[in-house]
Amino acid sequence: MTDEFDSDFMRSTTEIDRPGNISSQLETAGVLREQACLKIRESLRAGQQDMADWKGGPLAVSAVPGAGKSTGMAAASAIAIARNQLHNRRQLIVVTFTRSAAANIKAKIRERLQQLSLYQGGFAVHTLHGLALNIAMRHPDLSGLNLENSTLVTPTQSHRLIRTCVELWIAENPRRYQVLLEGQQFDGEETERLRRQSVLRTEILPQLAKTVIHEAKSSGLFPEQLLEMSALNTGDGYEILAVAGGLYQKYQALLRSREFIDYDEMILAALRVLDNPAARAIEQKQVFAVFEDEAQDSTPLQTRLLETLAIDPDRPDLPPNFIRVGDPNQAINSTFTPADPIYFNKFCDDCAVEKKLATMDGAGRSTQVIIDAANFMLQWVNRSELAGTEQPFRDQTIKLVKSDDPQKDANPAPIGIGLELHTPRDVYHTVELIGKRVIELVEQFLPADFEWGSNDKERESGGEAASDGENSLKLPLEKLKSMAILVRENKQGKFIKEVLENPKKHGLSFDLRKYGIKIEDVGERDRHSQVPLEILTLLQFLDRPHSPDYLKAALKILSDRQLIPKQDYNAFTTSPEQFLYPGPLDPKQSDPVRKCRYFCCGLLQARLELPPYQIISFLALALQYDQTELATADKLAERVAIQTAGNNSMHNILDVLSEIVSSERFEPVDADDKIEERYTSKGQLTIITMHKAKGLDWDCVFLPFLHEQTIPGSLRVLPQARFLGDFTLAEVARAQIRASLHEKYPLPNLGEAWEQAGYLKTAEEFRLLYVAMTRAKSLLWMAAEKKGPFTWNKPQNLQEQKPCPVMPVLKQRFPGNVIHYDII
């Protein structure tokens, strides 16, 4: 038997070794793989198939909300890898906007490669800044970037770098500063002079510096170019672009002298590498093509980087292998970044001429009436001319998908009438209506024989909705809907959560706790950005444990983290020494107080035993941080260690931390790839900003507080800055810079630039509302209250409010969706 097996094996091996058989088998494998590619293609929608059919060169894909961009990109990526036999030395580069989006599309591409029985390689997924940093770090001599010696900063207008460049500019430009100080008129009164000096130094000039530096740098403009533009703009008495160019010069000099880098510097560093022919050829040889997601949010400099990488170095005269996927109608970052939908729109128009434009207009996310409302809003806003010279939207209509669509549950049935348009009497009435509607949604999907329960531990272990109440329902999550309240700013979300959790306090008659409905306030829960503040608070206590303020703040952090019992800390923080080190004659402490004392004393003991550079890591462990928060704390500790090298005293550590907390947007490490799951869980009511909701969707979406002062709102000039005129220097400079980038000469004067800035804001606010409306699958709930607060810093101060202009016309167009109720 063994001989027979051996002879069979030898015969089969010999046959395989024959060149003709190898060729035949490879050909068979190729045919099977192509069949698998075609099978994937057939599972896609028409617009997605255009991506899958891509053979090379540029391709623009303009996709409506819910069209399945990431699904199409993943399928097209896998097919391109298969057909072009890509590998790790010749890759497809996929660029996304966020780390969570990168993790999501990476998983989808791997799943498709598995279907093709291919090795899980041949591609790389990056955020844009991550890609730029990789290129820069591979060629430090060309990029001028060395992270071992440099510190990454994301300065706000109150950052020390910005403040210092303002002071240096004032010292060197007394004439221009004096013109600003005198403003439109000035009587020379000393008190007014001091007030204006303070406003200029701490508010106006720092804001101008922050805005212009980011705007110009991300657009590839140097300080000298701003100064040249200013010389051509003769109608500006303040010489705003000259002031901005001078501030930009000082900022760049300070960055170099202190070995700091910012995110814009990463892109510029990568481009410096690609300007070198030899280095450019090395980078390009590793790249077969570039697929860009969320292309509407790209800046000119970022586009130049990706386009350069997508060129074949052996055939540089051919167009780049560059697929750009996006939706210009979802461009919602242009008022605080140099991104502008005009760039992606132009790319789409250029590709359309070459018949290289694909439109993904079939969307399966939403029910019919929600799609109709979003389409109507888009068309009405474009016709209204509310945004003046700006046209907010590309003329692109969302369409229902075909009945045989491969996506499961495409265009779901509406919940109720699908679209509800409300006019509550005030913002408290709105929260009450939302609370009652949420309860209705929960009750609608409960079995008829559903019983009350009180075993919270059983709920947690079974994955059911948690509850703070003793008498709460055990909710069957698979039966429930995902729900979200989308707000324009975090202060609105904070107000909603407070009222939802304390309805009786505000005289409202509903109770979400009875149903075990979890309220997830993303603005509050996203605690990773709070890591620097929590560490600083505890370090301040460790440095001065006898300070009542520092002790109380530390106890609040520990209480919020559920590390010590909740109680009235005022009772013992007034006498910190007695609390921390009670004497034999002091009153006996209760058990909860003793637990607080033991925890605090443990921290103080560690302060004595550990070297300063280990304190932050120790505190992170003591606070029982999760994996993501620990990673952020490690990043923070490394940053502090770099900035305190040579003098790591507690005083110096506190100074660095204080500056990071008060004047910098410290970027947390986001190790959680399941952000989408976290925010869209069933049976949970998520409160999230409209901006952060982009890319997510829910069965039921609530849009409260739709007032004219919020959407579209208007640009504000603070009273203390009106001595310069009814405009802000920062927004005027931004509008003038954008006019130059769009080659609109002569540059607009002060009044024209301010008007244009207002139009840009209006256009973006309507696009933001469009994004918010298209997050809803089966129910879209919209409200414009008769009364609302003038400022959300004081939500209790109500006054009459005009509705967002879209609300009245939606009611006219959809009269059957207007909800009427008795107003008491």
Side-chain angles (χ1 to χ4, degrees):
M1 185 179 234
T2 304
D3 290 341
E4 259 180 58
F5 174 80
D6 287 344
S7 62
D8 287 343
F9 176 77
M10 290 299 294
R11 185 166 57 253
S12 64
T13 304
T14 304
E15 288 172 357
I16 290 172
D17 286 344
R18 292 174 186 167
N21 286 336
I22 293 175
S23 175
S24 175
Q25 289 181 4
L26 288 174
E27 186 177 339
T28 301
V31 169
L32 291 174
R33 187 160 294 147
E34 181 59 26
Q35 288 175 349
C37 288
L38 291 174
K39 187 176 180 181
I40 290 177
R41 182 193 181 278
E42 288 168 5
S43 71
L44 302 175
R45 294 173 183 153
Q48 296 168 335
Q49 288 179 350
D50 289 334
M51 276 194 278
D53 293 339
W54 173 79
K55 297 291 193 297
L59 177 67
V61 183
S62 186
V64 300
K69 291 192 284 96
S70 59
T71 298
M73 282 189 74
S77 298
I79 290 172
I81 291 166
R83 286 176 173 165
N84 297 282
Q85 300 179 26
L86 302 184
H87 46 79
N88 288 340
R89 292 188 303 280
R90 182 71 167 159
Q91 292 185 318
L92 173 69
I93 302 297
V94 181
V95 179
T96 66
F97 199 63
T98 63
R99 282 188 290 267
S100 58
N104 180 43
I105 199 163
K106 186 185 295 183
K108 287 185 175 182
I109 294 173
R110 285 177 174 167
E111 183 181 335
R112 292 297 193 179
L113 289 174
Q114 195 171 12
Q115 292 175 15
L116 296 171
S117 301
L118 284 176
Y119 167 66
Q120 306 282 292
F123 76 101
V125 183
H126 299 277
T127 61
L128 204 138
H129 288 102
L131 173 65
L133 185 60
N134 284 345
I135 294 170
M137 295 303 289
R138 283 196 291 267
H139 308 271
D141 53 328
L142 295 174
S143 69
L145 209 62
N146 186 347
L147 281 187
E148 291 183 5
N149 302 322
S150 301
T151 302
L152 179 63
V153 293
T154 52
T156 62
Q157 70 185 67
S158 57
H159 193 278
R160 177 178 51 181
L161 274 176
I162 299 292
R163 295 199 310 267
T164 304
C165 81
V166 166
E167 294 302 324
L168 290 172
W169 179 87
I170 290 173
E172 292 186 13
N173 295 272
R175 183 190 65 79
R176 285 199 174 110
Y177 178 65
Q178 186 62 31
V179 170
L180 292 172
L181 194 64
E182 292 178 0
Q184 292 187 322
Q185 59 179 13
F186 182 51
D187 59 9
E189 203 272 324
E190 185 62 20
T191 304
E192 176 63 12
R193 179 187 298 278
L194 293 174
R195 186 192 71 81
R196 292 187 181 188
Q197 284 180 343
S198 175
V199 173
L200 282 168
R201 289 172 181 266
T202 63
E203 297 179 32
I204 296 172
L205 290 176
Q207 181 60 36
L208 175 64
K210 174 184 174 292
T211 299
V212 167
I213 289 166
H214 184 40
E215 187 82 26
K217 203 170 180 180
S218 296
S219 302
L221 294 175
F222 296 103
E224 295 72 24
Q225 290 171 286
L226 291 188
L227 296 173
E228 289 172 9
M229 286 160 53
S230 177
L232 298 174
N233 198 31
T234 55
D236 178 1
Y238 292 134
E239 301 178 280
I240 295 175
L241 288 179
V243 176
L247 291 168
Y248 186 5
Q249 279 182 325
K250 298 301 177 190
Y251 175 82
Q252 287 297 98
L254 286 169
L255 275 187
R256 289 191 293 269
S257 67
R258 300 185 183 185
E259 295 187 316
F260 286 174
I261 57 171
D262 56 26
Y263 279 99
D264 295 325
E265 196 65 36
M266 289 184 187
I267 306 294
L268 290 168
L271 284 169
R272 285 195 291 271
V273 171
L274 297 180
D275 283 340
N276 179 278
R280 182 170 65 246
I282 291 171
E283 293 297 326
Q284 288 174 336
K285 281 183 182 296
Q286 299 175 52
V287 178
F288 169 72
V290 175
F291 286 10
E292 180 189 14
D293 192 15
E294 303 292 359
Q296 77 278 354
D297 291 323
S298 268
T299 67
L301 220 56
Q302 292 168 355
T303 302
R304 181 181 145 203
L305 170 64
L306 298 182
E307 199 168 47
T308 303
L309 280 178
I311 292 174
D312 185 343
D314 298 326
R315 294 181 292 178
D317 295 334
L318 292 180
N321 289 337
F322 193 17
I323 292 185
R324 306 188 69 196
V325 185
D327 181 2
N329 295 339
Q330 295 187 73
I332 56 173
N333 296 315
S334 62
T335 53
F336 50 89
T337 75
D340 193 310
I342 193 172
Y343 300 117
F344 184 60
N345 272 324
K346 184 177 186 306
F347 182 78
C348 290
D349 293 341
D350 291 345
C351 285
V353 173
E354 302 294 327
K355 296 186 174 7
K356 295 278 190 176
L357 171 65
T359 301
M360 292 174 58
D361 55 8
R365 172 186 293 159
S366 304
T367 194
Q368 173 82 63
V369 69
I370 295 174
I371 288 176
D372 290 344
N375 285 334
F376 173 77
M377 192 274 279
L378 180 153
Q379 293 157 6
W380 181 84
V381 169
N382 270 355
R383 292 195 307 268
S384 71
E385 298 184 359
L386 286 170
T389 54
E390 293 292 310
Q391 178 164 313
F393 296 103
R394 186 179 183 87
D395 189 11
Q396 187 167 272
T397 302
I398 308 173
K399 298 177 182 176
L400 293 174
V401 299
K402 295 179 180 178
S403 57
D404 59 349
D405 187 76
Q407 178 182 315
K408 186 180 178 182
D409 299 325
N411 300 127
I415 292 176
I417 55 176
L419 172 68
E420 297 181 12
L421 304 172
H422 295 257
T423 309
R425 60 178 175 267
D426 58 36
V427 292
Y428 293 94
H429 187 206
T430 291
V431 180
E432 181 178 32
L433 291 172
I434 290 175
K436 289 181 176 180
R437 190 70 177 98
V438 167
I439 291 171
E440 287 175 8
L441 291 167
V442 170
E443 290 181 335
Q444 181 179 350
F445 295 98
L446 291 180
D449 59 347
F450 212 72
E451 297 180 356
W452 292 91
S454 60
N455 191 335
D456 289 338
K457 289 184 179 178
E458 181 183 340
R459 272 194 304 282
E460 290 170 10
S461 63
E464 295 160 331
S467 168
D468 296 327
E470 292 282 330
N471 260 338
S472 57
L473 285 171
K474 299 181 190 178
L475 299 178
L477 296 187
E478 71 282 356
K479 298 282 187 182
L480 298 179
K481 299 296 183 182
S482 57
M483 302 171 287
I485 304 172
L486 274 51
V487 293
R488 181 61 185 82
E489 56 179 292
N490 279 317
K491 289 175 184 175
Q492 294 174 336
K494 183 180 179 182
F495 166 78
I496 290 172
K497 186 179 183 189
E498 196 278 326
V499 177
L500 285 175
E501 290 185 335
N502 305 281
K504 290 183 180 178
K505 174 182 172 184
H506 301 284
L508 306 179
S509 57
F510 64 91
D511 188 358
L512 296 184
R513 290 176 300 177
K514 186 175 86 170
Y515 293 83
I517 297 168
K518 180 184 177 185
I519 300 173
E520 173 80 1
D521 182 0
V522 173
E524 177 183 86
R525 187 199 180 283
D526 200 5
R527 298 177 62 88
H528 306 152
S529 60
Q530 295 300 308
V531 167
L533 176 60
E534 291 179 347
I535 296 294
L536 172 63
T537 301
L538 292 189
L539 281 177
Q540 287 172 329
F541 161 66
L542 296 184
D543 186 52
R544 293 179 58 194
H546 300 306
S547 163
D549 292 338
Y550 288 161
L551 172 58
K552 186 176 178 181
L555 289 172
K556 186 179 185 307
I557 295 291
L558 299 176
S559 173
D560 290 344
R561 284 279 171 181
Q562 298 181 343
L563 298 171
I564 59 174
K566 286 185 179 291
Q567 55 194 299
D568 181 10
Y569 302 120
N570 293 303
F572 49 84
T573 53
T574 51
S575 302
E577 188 170 355
Q578 187 180 53
F579 161 66
L580 292 167
Y581 307 108
L585 300 180
D586 290 325
K588 185 179 179 180
Q589 294 178 335
S590 65
D591 284 343
V593 173
R594 273 204 306 275
K595 288 179 181 177
C596 295
R597 176 165 66 88
Y598 292 156
F599 204 109
C600 290
C601 288
L603 296 179
L604 290 168
Q605 185 66 26
R607 163 75 177 92
L608 296 174
E609 296 175 356
L610 292 175
Y613 63 86
Q614 290 183 0
I615 288 289
I616 291 178
S617 297
F618 166 77
L619 291 177
L621 292 171
L623 287 168
Q624 297 182 14
Y625 279 166
D626 61 25
Q627 180 185 358
T628 302
E629 292 166 324
L630 285 172
T632 299
D634 286 344
K635 175 184 173 182
L636 180 68
E638 183 179 356
R639 165 75 182 276
V640 171
I642 291 171
Q643 288 195 239
T644 58
N647 181 14
N648 63 352
S649 66
M650 179 63 83
H651 177 75
N652 209 19
I653 290 172
L654 287 172
D655 279 349
V656 171
L657 267 175
S658 296
E659 182 167 347
I660 290 173
V661 169
S662 65
S663 60
E664 186 172 331
R665 185 169 52 85
F666 185 78
E667 293 287 340
V669 176
D670 199 344
D672 186 357
D673 294 338
K674 298 183 178 179
I675 290 178
E676 186 170 340
E677 279 181 35
R678 200 170 77 201
Y679 294 164
T680 60
S681 298
K682 289 179 177 290
Q684 169 180 293
L685 181 59
T686 301
I687 303 172
I688 188 170
T689 62
M690 294 177 179
H691 278 100
K692 205 169 183 98
K694 186 172 179 294
L696 304 174
D697 54 48
W698 293 266
D699 296 312
C700 309
V701 167
F702 298 88
L703 302 182
F705 317 144
L706 297 177
H707 295 135
E708 186 181 56
Q709 74 167 18
T710 303
I711 295 178
S714 59
L715 293 173
R716 288 186 62 202
V717 182
L718 297 176
Q720 61 267 32
R722 288 192 183 277
F723 65 90
L724 290 171
D726 288 327
F727 52 82
T728 64
L729 301 190
E731 290 301 329
V732 166
R734 187 206 298 272
Q736 290 176 335
I737 290 171
R738 291 205 175 186
S740 73
L741 292 171
H742 301 162
E743 299 181 349
K744 295 179 180 177
Y745 296 104
L747 297 183
N749 60 31
L750 286 177
E752 293 167 343
W754 178 247
E755 183 180 53
Q756 187 61 32
Y759 291 154
L760 288 168
K761 172 181 167 52
T762 296
E764 180 155 311
E765 291 295 340
F766 282 123
R767 288 195 295 269
L768 184 60
L769 179 58
Y770 177 77
V771 166
M773 292 172 68
T774 54
R775 300 310 94 196
K777 296 180 183 178
S778 298
L779 174 63
L780 175 60
W781 190 104
M782 303 174 72
E785 302 75 11
K786 291 186 175 181
K787 288 187 176 182
F790 174 74
T791 170
W792 283 96
N793 290 321
K794 297 179 179 179
Q796 68 279 6
N797 294 347
L798 303 178
Q799 62 183 39
E800 296 289 333
Q801 293 284 359
K802 290 182 179 179
C804 166
V806 167
M807 284 297 286
V809 295
L810 278 174
K811 289 179 178 180
Q812 290 174 7
R813 172 64 179 79
F814 300 94
N817 298 86
V818 177
I819 306 301
H820 301 279
Y821 32 75
D822 294 330
I823 302 294
I824 300 174

